[in-house]
């Protein structure tokens, strides 16, 4: 087991990439704290992990709300005593072309995808410093590297978190904490389910591996970065996109 006795907090853990990461981390021996807005789906993921012999608990929190995040971190520590791994994965899209983007769309995406990462990381890091070790992981995106039409707000956040990762890698490395991002390409989750079939086909034709990614493809990258094998990787952005950016 590659994460035996580790405690992992996974935001957006009730669905898609976060749920796949929670299940794989649970299988690898981590006690998993699933953080999400959706309690029903979160409880379902916990039940699946427990049924396969893993350890998981659900913590309802809004990553955009500092008070909610503080409460969540206190509850996780009360349950598991420590936090070894934080996967900042909760994210939303509110797409629109620049000229049509409403301030509310900009604010909502910034609040969850960028401020949420700041809130959760800042709340967890003092404990990791005290422990002398920790792993911070972030779900960025191919869009944050290349830009994407219709995603001004989303791209700002996904490029923004790459800046955070590089800054925190420098700031927290001396404390024994590594900070890395994964940049998924086109992954089959609820977030991409609304993409029309003809657009999806055009996208897949551009992917050298000629297939859409699965949430587990991203979860396995997180597992590598969180495990002992990833211990000398710090400040990296690992693309998981079938070669789309090459
Ligand atoms: P998803 O299935 O929609 O999962 C996102 C999860 O985040 C949902 O469970 C959602 O809960 C939760 N969430 C949203 N706002 C939250 C908040 N304020 N506080 C706590 N939890 C919140 O989408 P996904 O594709 O797995 O996305 C996971 C991450 O991967 C996101 O950061 C996304 O930007 C990134 N990503 C995805 C792709 C892709 O192709 N799918 C590509 C690149 C990057 P609710 O459902 O209750 O809102």
């Amino acid at each position: 087991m590659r994460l035996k006795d580790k405690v992992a907090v996974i935001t957006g853990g009730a669905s898609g990439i976060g749920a796949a990461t929670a299940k794989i981390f649970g299988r690898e021996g981590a006690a998993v704290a699933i953080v999400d807005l959706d309690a029903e789906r979160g409880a379902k993921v916990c039940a699946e992990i427990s049924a396969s012999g893993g350890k998981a608990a659900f913590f309802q929190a809004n990553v955009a709300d500092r008070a909610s995040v503080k409460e969540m971190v206190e509850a996780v520590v009360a349950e598991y005593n420590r936090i070894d791994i934080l996967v900042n994965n909760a994210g939303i899209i509110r797409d629109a072309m620049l000229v049509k983007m409403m301030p509310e769309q900009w604010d909502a995406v910034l609040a969850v995808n960028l401020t949420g990462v700041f809130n959760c990381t800042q709340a967890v890091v003092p404990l990791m410093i005290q422990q002398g070790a920790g792993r911070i992981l972030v779900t960025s995106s191919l869009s944050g590297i290349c830009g994407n039409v219709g995603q001004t707000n989303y791209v700002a956040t996904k490029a923004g978190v790459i800046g955070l990762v590089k800054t925190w890698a420098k700031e927290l490395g001396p404390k024994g904490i590594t900070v890395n991002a994964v940049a998924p390409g086109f992954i089959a989750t609820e977030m991409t389910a609304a993409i029309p079939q003809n657009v999806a086909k055009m996208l897949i034709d551009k992917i050298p591996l000629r297939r859409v990614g699965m949430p587990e493809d991203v979860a396995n990258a997180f597992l590598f970065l969180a495990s002992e094998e990833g211990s000398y990787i710090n400040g990296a952005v690992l693309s998981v996109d079938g070669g789309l950016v090459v």
Side-chain angles (χ1 to χ4, degrees), residues 12 14-18 35-38 41 61-64 89-92 112-113 139-142 154 158 184-187 189-192:
S15 166
I17 292 168
V35 176
D36 209 291
L37 297 169
D38 192 328
R41 283 203 301 190
N62 175 3
V63 298
N89 169 78
I92 59 169
V112 177
N113 298 12
T139 314
S140 176
S141 170
L142 169 83
Y154 186 77
K158 295 302 182 181
F186 178 19
I187 310 297
T189 67
E190 269 176 34
M191 189 174 272
T192 51

Side-chain angles (χ1 to χ4, degrees), residues 6-20:
K6 302 290 183 197
V7 174
V9 173
I10 301 170
T11 71
S15 166
I17 292 168

Side-chain angles (χ1 to χ4, degrees), residues 50-64:
S50 305
S52 352
K55 204 168 168 188
F58 178 73
F59 299 84
Q60 192 168 35
N62 175 3
V63 298

Side-chain angles (χ1 to χ4, degrees), residues 73-85:
V73 170
E74 284 167 2
V76 172
V77 174
E79 174 85 17
Y80 292 132
N81 289 315
R82 53 186 295 117
I83 297 175
D84 301 288
I85 303 158

